[in-house]
C-alpha cells in the first residue's frame, strides 16, 4: 500500500505570502510533484491547516486544485481552519455530531480521519463525543488501522508549541491504548517539523509542511520559531508487516548526485563520489 500525506498548506488570499513564501504556489507545486512521482498511490490525505484564516475563498481554491487530482483525496481540519466555513464548501466531509471525521477503506485495513479543531483556540481538542466515536470505531474495525489528525498527541518538548498541542492528549491516549495492537501508525501535522515517536507503542510521524517551516528551539518560552527549510510531504509505504515513511523535500532545488553503486565490489576510493 502506498499513501501520500500533505499537511499545513495554509492557503491564503492570492498574492499574499507567509514567511516570504507563497502558500498557493507551494501547495500547487507539492500536489504536482506528488501526483507526478507517485501516480500509483491509492490515496492522498491532507492533515489540516488547509486555509491560513479559514476563508471560504481558500476552500473554494482548494476544491479547484483537488478537482484535477485523479486519486482519492481526504481532508482533516486544523486550528487555522474554520469548521463551519469548511463544511459549506466540503459538506460531504461532515461526520458524526457535525465533526469532520470519517473512516476510509484502504487496501490494507482502514484509515480514520479525526477532527481536533476547537473554537477560538490554536490548541487541539478531543472531547468526550469525539472519544466515544473513536472508541466505537476502533471496537468495530479489524486491523490494521491508520489514524490521521492535525494536532500532535504527544508533547514535543518545545514550550510554545506544547501550549497548542492536543490538550485532551490523556483522553486520546486512553482511547487508543487498548487498541495499540491494531493501530499501525498515527500521522499528524501542526508543528511544521519533521517528527517521529510513539504513544503506547503506536508509532507516529509528521512531515514539515508545504510552506513555512518550524525550528526546534528548545529554549523558547513564548514565541514559535521558524526557519528557511525546504518544503515537504510524506510518502507512506506499508505491507502486512512493515511501515516506511519518507519525507520528500520537493522544494529542494540543489543538485542530486549519483554517488556510486550499492554493489560492494564496485566500491573504490578512487572512483566513489565523496
Amino acid at each position: 500500500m502506498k499513501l501520500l500525506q500533505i499537511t499545513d498548506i495554509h492557503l491564503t488570499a492570492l498574492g499574499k505570502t507567509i514567511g516570504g513564501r507563497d502558500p498557493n504556489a507551494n501547495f500547487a507545486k507539492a500536489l504536482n510533484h506528488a501526483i507526478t512521482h507517485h501516480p500509483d498511490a491509492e490515496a492522498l490525505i491532507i492533515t489540516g491547516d488547509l486555509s491560513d484564516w479559514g476563508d471560504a475563498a481558500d476552500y473554494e481554491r482548494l476544491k479547484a486544485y483537488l478537482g484535477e487530482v485523479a486519486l482519492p483525496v481526504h481532508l482533516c481540519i486544523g486550528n487555522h481552519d474554520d469548521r463551519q466555513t469548511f463544511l459549506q464548501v466540503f459538506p460531504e466531509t461532515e461526520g458524526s455530531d457535525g465533526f469532520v471525521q470519517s473512516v476510509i477503506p484502504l487496501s490494507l485495513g482502514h484509515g480514520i480521519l479525526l477532527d481536533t479543531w476547537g473554537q477560538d483556540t490554536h490548541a487541539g481538542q478531543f472531547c468526550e463525543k469525539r472519544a466515544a466515536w473513536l472508541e466505537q470505531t476502533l471496537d468495530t474495525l479489524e486491523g490494521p488501522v491508520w489514524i490521521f489528525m492535525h494536532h500532535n498527541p504527544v508533547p514535543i518538548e518545545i514550550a510554545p508549541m506544547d501550549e497548542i498541542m492536543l490538550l485532551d492528549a490523556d483522553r486520546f491516549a486512553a482511547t487508543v491504548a487498548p487498541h495499540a495492537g491494531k493501530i499501525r501508525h498515527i500521522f499528524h501535522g501542526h508543528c511544521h517539523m519533521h517528527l517521529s515517536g510513539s504513544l503506547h507503542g503506536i508509532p507516529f510521524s509528521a512531515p514539515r509542511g508545504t510552506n513555512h517551516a518550524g525550528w526546534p528551539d528548545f529554549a523558547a518560552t513564548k514565541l514559535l520559531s521558524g526557519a528557511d527549510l525546504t518544503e515537504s510531504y510524506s510518502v507512506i509505504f506499508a505491507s502486512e508487516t512493515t511501515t516506511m515513511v519518507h519525507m520528500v523535500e520537493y522544494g529542494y532545488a540543489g543538485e542530486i548526485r549519483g554517488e556510486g553503486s550499492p554493489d560492494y565490489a564496485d566500491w573504490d576510493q578512487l572512483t566513489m563520489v565523496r
Side-chain angles (χ1 to χ4, degrees):
M1 179 177 73
K2 180 196 270 192
L3 304 173
L4 302 172
Q5 181 196 4
I6 290 178
T7 197
D8 293 274
I9 64 178
H10 286 266
L11 299 184
T12 192
L14 293 175
K16 288 193 174 183
T17 60
I18 302 174
R21 301 181 181 186
D22 183 339
N24 298 290
N26 276 324
F27 173 63
K29 185 177 179 180
L31 198 59
N32 181 67
H33 191 280
I35 62 178
T36 298
H37 290 274
H38 307 284
D40 56 335
E42 65 181 72
L44 162 64
I45 299 92
I46 308 179
T47 49
D49 281 1
L50 310 174
S51 168
D52 196 45
W53 293 99
D55 292 334
D58 297 334
Y59 299 130
E60 293 288 0
R61 196 177 315 110
L62 175 60
K63 194 168 192 174
Y65 282 131
L66 300 182
E68 304 298 319
V69 179
L71 68 157
V73 181
H74 307 282
L75 304 173
C76 298
I77 56 173
N79 52 290
H80 279 258
D81 293 304
D82 181 83
R83 185 191 287 137
Q84 292 308 312
T85 305
F86 170 79
L87 286 173
Q88 289 171 11
V89 181
F90 293 95
E92 69 281 3
T93 65
E94 184 171 359
S96 172
D97 294 309
F99 296 114
V100 180
Q101 50 193 21
S102 61
V103 176
I104 56 174
L106 299 170
S107 62
L108 187 59
H110 292 82
I112 298 177
L113 277 61
L114 295 182
D115 182 335
T116 59
W117 182 85
Q119 184 76 43
D120 299 325
T121 179
H122 286 300
Q125 308 291 307
F126 189 69
C127 61
E128 292 182 359
K129 286 185 178 181
R130 281 175 272 198
W133 178 84
L134 179 58
E135 182 176 16
Q136 181 180 22
T137 301
L138 288 170
D139 284 339
T140 303
L141 293 176
E142 295 183 2
V145 170
W146 318 83
I147 294 179
F148 295 86
M149 58 197 293
H150 181 69
H151 290 83
N152 51 304
V154 172
I156 67 170
E157 305 304 331
I158 298 174
M161 197 74 234
D162 288 341
E163 288 182 17
I164 57 172
M165 64 174 281
L166 186 69
L167 294 188
D168 300 310
D170 289 344
R171 178 180 290 129
F172 177 78
T175 304
V176 300
H179 303 278
K182 70 168 68 171
I183 302 172
R184 287 279 296 275
H185 205 96
I186 298 169
F187 302 93
H188 70 87
H190 188 48
C191 301
H192 294 244
M193 286 182 271
H194 185 210
L195 299 169
S196 62
S198 66
L199 171 63
H200 287 299
I202 305 167
F204 64 77
S205 63
R208 186 176 292 139
T210 62
N211 195 67
H212 44 300
W215 179 261
D217 180 1
F218 296 101
T221 58
K222 293 184 178 181
L223 298 178
L224 301 173
S225 299
D228 292 325
L229 301 174
T230 306
E231 306 89 344
S232 73
Y233 64 86
S234 290
V235 180
I236 303 149
F237 296 90
S239 72
E240 291 288 349
T241 57
T242 65
T243 304
M244 172 57 66
V245 183
H246 287 263
M247 184 178 73
V248 178
E249 296 184 296
Y250 72 93
Y252 175 68
E255 178 186 7
I256 299 175
R257 301 180 298 274
E259 295 190 340
S261 167
D263 190 335
Y264 187 81
D266 293 335
W267 286 25
D268 187 304
Q269 286 189 0
L270 296 178
T271 60
M272 288 287 286
V273 178
R274 283 290 182 264

